[in-house]
PDB file of all heavy atoms in Angstrom:
ATOM      1  N   VAL A  12       8.140  30.378   6.695  1.00 95.00           N
ATOM      2  CA  VAL A  12       8.148  31.796   7.102  1.00 95.00           C
ATOM      3  C   VAL A  12       9.578  32.286   6.864  1.00 95.00           C
ATOM      4  O   VAL A  12      10.531  31.785   7.504  1.00 95.00           O
ATOM      5  CB  VAL A  12       7.737  32.009   8.507  1.00 95.00           C
ATOM      6  CG1 VAL A  12       7.747  33.539   8.862  1.00 95.00           C
ATOM      7  CG2 VAL A  12       6.374  31.442   8.811  1.00 95.00           C
ATOM      8  N   TYR A  13       9.754  33.284   5.970  1.00 96.00           N
ATOM      9  CA  TYR A  13      11.046  33.818   5.694  1.00 96.00           C
ATOM     10  C   TYR A  13      11.255  35.094   6.531  1.00 96.00           C
ATOM     11  O   TYR A  13      10.421  35.999   6.458  1.00 96.00           O
ATOM     12  CB  TYR A  13      11.198  34.162   4.195  1.00 96.00           C
ATOM     13  CG  TYR A  13      10.976  32.960   3.266  1.00 96.00           C
ATOM     14  CD1 TYR A  13       9.730  32.707   2.782  1.00 96.00           C
ATOM     15  CD2 TYR A  13      12.017  32.110   2.916  1.00 96.00           C
ATOM     16  CE1 TYR A  13       9.479  31.615   1.920  1.00 96.00           C
ATOM     17  CE2 TYR A  13      11.830  31.024   2.090  1.00 96.00           C
ATOM     18  CZ  TYR A  13      10.556  30.817   1.605  1.00 96.00           C
ATOM     19  OH  TYR A  13      10.344  29.713   0.742  1.00 96.00           O
ATOM     20  N   VAL A  14      12.259  35.102   7.324  1.00 97.00           N
ATOM     21  CA  VAL A  14      12.549  36.296   8.160  1.00 97.00           C
ATOM     22  C   VAL A  14      13.802  36.986   7.583  1.00 97.00           C
ATOM     23  O   VAL A  14      14.863  36.370   7.419  1.00 97.00           O
ATOM     24  CB  VAL A  14      12.815  35.911   9.646  1.00 97.00           C
ATOM     25  CG1 VAL A  14      13.035  37.125  10.486  1.00 97.00           C
ATOM     26  CG2 VAL A  14      11.606  35.093  10.200  1.00 97.00           C
ATOM     27  N   VAL A  15      13.674  38.278   7.254  1.00 97.00           N
ATOM     28  CA  VAL A  15      14.753  39.058   6.694  1.00 97.00           C
ATOM     29  C   VAL A  15      15.022  40.290   7.540  1.00 97.00           C
ATOM     30  O   VAL A  15      14.181  41.172   7.599  1.00 97.00           O
ATOM     31  CB  VAL A  15      14.433  39.409   5.223  1.00 97.00           C
ATOM     32  CG1 VAL A  15      15.681  40.030   4.587  1.00 97.00           C
ATOM     33  CG2 VAL A  15      13.907  38.254   4.397  1.00 97.00           C
ATOM     34  N   ASP A  16      16.161  40.333   8.196  1.00 96.00           N
ATOM     35  CA  ASP A  16      16.473  41.459   9.049  1.00 96.00           C
ATOM     36  C   ASP A  16      18.016  41.539   9.188  1.00 96.00           C
ATOM     37  O   ASP A  16      18.643  40.488   9.465  1.00 96.00           O
ATOM     38  CB  ASP A  16      15.844  41.202  10.435  1.00 96.00           C
ATOM     39  CG  ASP A  16      15.738  42.500  11.251  1.00 96.00           C
ATOM     40  OD1 ASP A  16      16.735  43.256  11.286  1.00 96.00           O
ATOM     41  OD2 ASP A  16      14.669  42.749  11.851  1.00 96.00           O
ATOM     42  N   ASP A  17      18.583  42.709   9.053  1.00 94.00           N
ATOM     43  CA  ASP A  17      20.026  42.835   9.176  1.00 94.00           C
ATOM     44  C   ASP A  17      20.517  42.916  10.626  1.00 94.00           C
ATOM     45  O   ASP A  17      21.696  42.797  10.860  1.00 94.00           O
ATOM     46  CB  ASP A  17      20.491  44.133   8.431  1.00 94.00           C
ATOM     47  CG  ASP A  17      19.952  45.361   9.081  1.00 94.00           C
ATOM     48  OD1 ASP A  17      18.733  45.511   9.275  1.00 94.00           O
ATOM     49  OD2 ASP A  17      20.791  46.248   9.398  1.00 94.00           O
ATOM     50  N   ASP A  18      19.565  43.055  11.573  1.00 94.00           N
ATOM     51  CA  ASP A  18      19.906  43.030  12.974  1.00 94.00           C
ATOM     52  C   ASP A  18      20.001  41.595  13.443  1.00 94.00           C
ATOM     53  O   ASP A  18      19.026  40.869  13.553  1.00 94.00           O
ATOM     54  CB  ASP A  18      18.848  43.775  13.790  1.00 94.00           C
ATOM     55  CG  ASP A  18      19.156  43.887  15.277  1.00 94.00           C
ATOM     56  OD1 ASP A  18      19.764  42.955  15.829  1.00 94.00           O
ATOM     57  OD2 ASP A  18      18.779  44.901  15.867  1.00 94.00           O
ATOM     58  N   ALA A  19      21.241  41.112  13.714  1.00 94.00           N
ATOM     59  CA  ALA A  19      21.482  39.717  14.035  1.00 94.00           C
ATOM     60  C   ALA A  19      20.687  39.227  15.271  1.00 94.00           C
ATOM     61  O   ALA A  19      20.107  38.146  15.285  1.00 94.00           O
ATOM     62  CB  ALA A  19      22.946  39.449  14.261  1.00 94.00           C
ATOM     63  N   GLY A  20      20.625  40.087  16.301  1.00 94.00           N
ATOM     64  CA  GLY A  20      19.839  39.751  17.483  1.00 94.00           C
ATOM     65  C   GLY A  20      18.391  39.631  17.255  1.00 94.00           C
ATOM     66  O   GLY A  20      17.740  38.694  17.681  1.00 94.00           O
ATOM     67  N   MET A  21      17.857  40.580  16.472  1.00 94.00           N
ATOM     68  CA  MET A  21      16.400  40.529  16.141  1.00 94.00           C
ATOM     69  C   MET A  21      16.084  39.367  15.262  1.00 94.00           C
ATOM     70  O   MET A  21      15.050  38.713  15.380  1.00 94.00           O
ATOM     71  CB  MET A  21      15.993  41.832  15.466  1.00 94.00           C
ATOM     72  CG  MET A  21      14.530  41.918  15.091  1.00 94.00           C
ATOM     73  SD  MET A  21      13.423  41.879  16.508  1.00 94.00           S
ATOM     74  CE  MET A  21      13.750  43.487  17.255  1.00 94.00           C
ATOM     75  N   LEU A  22      16.993  39.069  14.284  1.00 95.00           N
ATOM     76  CA  LEU A  22      16.776  37.946  13.399  1.00 95.00           C
ATOM     77  C   LEU A  22      16.690  36.632  14.153  1.00 95.00           C
ATOM     78  O   LEU A  22      15.828  35.780  13.928  1.00 95.00           O
ATOM     79  CB  LEU A  22      17.969  37.908  12.369  1.00 95.00           C
ATOM     80  CG  LEU A  22      17.854  36.866  11.264  1.00 95.00           C
ATOM     81  CD1 LEU A  22      16.687  37.150  10.310  1.00 95.00           C
ATOM     82  CD2 LEU A  22      19.171  36.839  10.478  1.00 95.00           C
ATOM     83  N   GLU A  23      17.646  36.475  15.058  1.00 95.00           N
ATOM     84  CA  GLU A  23      17.727  35.202  15.808  1.00 95.00           C
ATOM     85  C   GLU A  23      16.492  35.045  16.747  1.00 95.00           C
ATOM     86  O   GLU A  23      15.891  33.972  16.844  1.00 95.00           O
ATOM     87  CB  GLU A  23      19.014  35.177  16.683  1.00 95.00           C
ATOM     88  CG  GLU A  23      19.173  33.900  17.463  1.00 95.00           C
ATOM     89  CD  GLU A  23      20.491  33.841  18.241  1.00 95.00           C
ATOM     90  OE1 GLU A  23      21.283  34.802  18.098  1.00 95.00           O
ATOM     91  OE2 GLU A  23      20.709  32.880  18.964  1.00 95.00           O
ATOM     92  N   SER A  24      16.134  36.136  17.437  1.00 95.00           N
ATOM     93  CA  SER A  24      15.009  36.064  18.358  1.00 95.00           C
ATOM     94  C   SER A  24      13.666  35.830  17.609  1.00 95.00           C
ATOM     95  O   SER A  24      12.832  35.089  18.099  1.00 95.00           O
ATOM     96  CB  SER A  24      14.895  37.312  19.238  1.00 95.00           C
ATOM     97  OG  SER A  24      14.665  38.466  18.419  1.00 95.00           O
ATOM     98  N   THR A  25      13.512  36.465  16.431  1.00 96.00           N
ATOM     99  CA  THR A  25      12.291  36.239  15.676  1.00 96.00           C
ATOM    100  C   THR A  25      12.218  34.834  15.161  1.00 96.00           C
ATOM    101  O   THR A  25      11.147  34.172  15.195  1.00 96.00           O
ATOM    102  CB  THR A  25      12.227  37.250  14.491  1.00 96.00           C
ATOM    103  OG1 THR A  25      12.328  38.582  15.011  1.00 96.00           O
ATOM    104  CG2 THR A  25      10.908  37.119  13.767  1.00 96.00           C
TER     105      THR A  25
END
Side-chain angles (χ1 to χ4, degrees):
V12 181
Y13 302 93
V14 182
V15 189
D16 198 317
D17 66 305
D18 183 325
M21 181 63 70
L22 184 66
E23 183 179 356
S24 63
T25 303

